[in-house]
């Protein structure tokens, strides 16, 4: 299975050589975006690639993912305690006992603007 496609940073039709220093490995979707949707790919002074939207604005770099705590469960429990949350085995269970739904009350609670007088 092909993982990426070679893209000429300086197009071969404009004299760009087919050598590693002029090639970028793009997935099929992003290769198509450069050729068919107007996205631009250009090297910066340090050789890193920069991407621009069709309108010329620079695409921001992907942010570094958040660090995962050594013990994520303990960290989550500590956050719950800090916010006063008490989770237990019945937390996700509905408290509905089968009675009829009062639609008017439900609308009033879920959409308070529905009870305002129309001007």
């Amino acid at each position: 299975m092909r993982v990426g496609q070679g893209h000429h940073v300086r197009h071969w039709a404009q004299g760009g050589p087919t050598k590693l220093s002029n090639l970028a490995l793009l997935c099929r979707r992003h290769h198509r975006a450069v050729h068919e949707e107007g996205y631009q790919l250009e090297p910066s002074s340090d050789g890193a690639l920069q991407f621009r939207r069709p309108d010329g604005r620079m695409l921001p770099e992907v942010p570094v993912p958040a660090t995962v705590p050594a013990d994520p469960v303990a960290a989550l429990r500590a956050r719950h305690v800090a916010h006063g949350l008490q989770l237990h085995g019945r937390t996700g269970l509905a408290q509905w006992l089968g009675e009829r739904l009062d639609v008017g009350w439900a609308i009033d609670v879920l959409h308070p603007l529905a009870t305002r007088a129309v001007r």
Side-chain angles (χ1 to χ4, degrees), residues 40-60:
Q40 302 158 25
L41 174 69
E42 56 193 43
S44 64
S45 58
D46 65 355
L49 296 175
Q50 298 176 330
F51 293 83
R52 293 189 181 274
R53 293 180 170 99
D55 64 6
R57 290 181 300 142
M58 188 72 67
L59 275 169

Side-chain angles (χ1 to χ4, degrees), residues 1-7 24-35 37 41 49 51:
M1 178 173 89
R2 206 147 100 174
V3 178
Q5 299 176 342
H7 171 73
L25 187 62
L26 300 176
C27 74
R28 183 177 181 172
R29 168 70 186 97
H30 291 106
H31 199 194
R32 184 179 304 124
V34 170
H35 283 286
E37 298 172 23
L41 174 69
L49 296 175
F51 293 83

Side-chain angles (χ1 to χ4, degrees), residues 10-22:
R10 181 172 171 222
H11 199 280
W12 60 267
Q14 297 168 338
T18 302
K19 60 182 186 177
L20 287 179
S21 61
N22 188 47

Side-chain angles (χ1 to χ4, degrees), residues 60-105:
E61 297 221 7
V62 176
V64 177
T67 58
V68 176
D71 186 352
V73 174
L76 186 59
R77 285 185 176 146
R79 189 179 308 162
H80 289 167
V81 169
H83 287 87
L85 297 175
Q86 296 179 1
L87 304 179
H88 49 74
R90 298 185 58 83
T91 297
L93 296 179
Q95 297 177 2
W96 178 61
L97 301 175
E99 63 273 13
R100 282 187 69 185
L101 173 64
D102 182 343
V103 176
W105 176 82

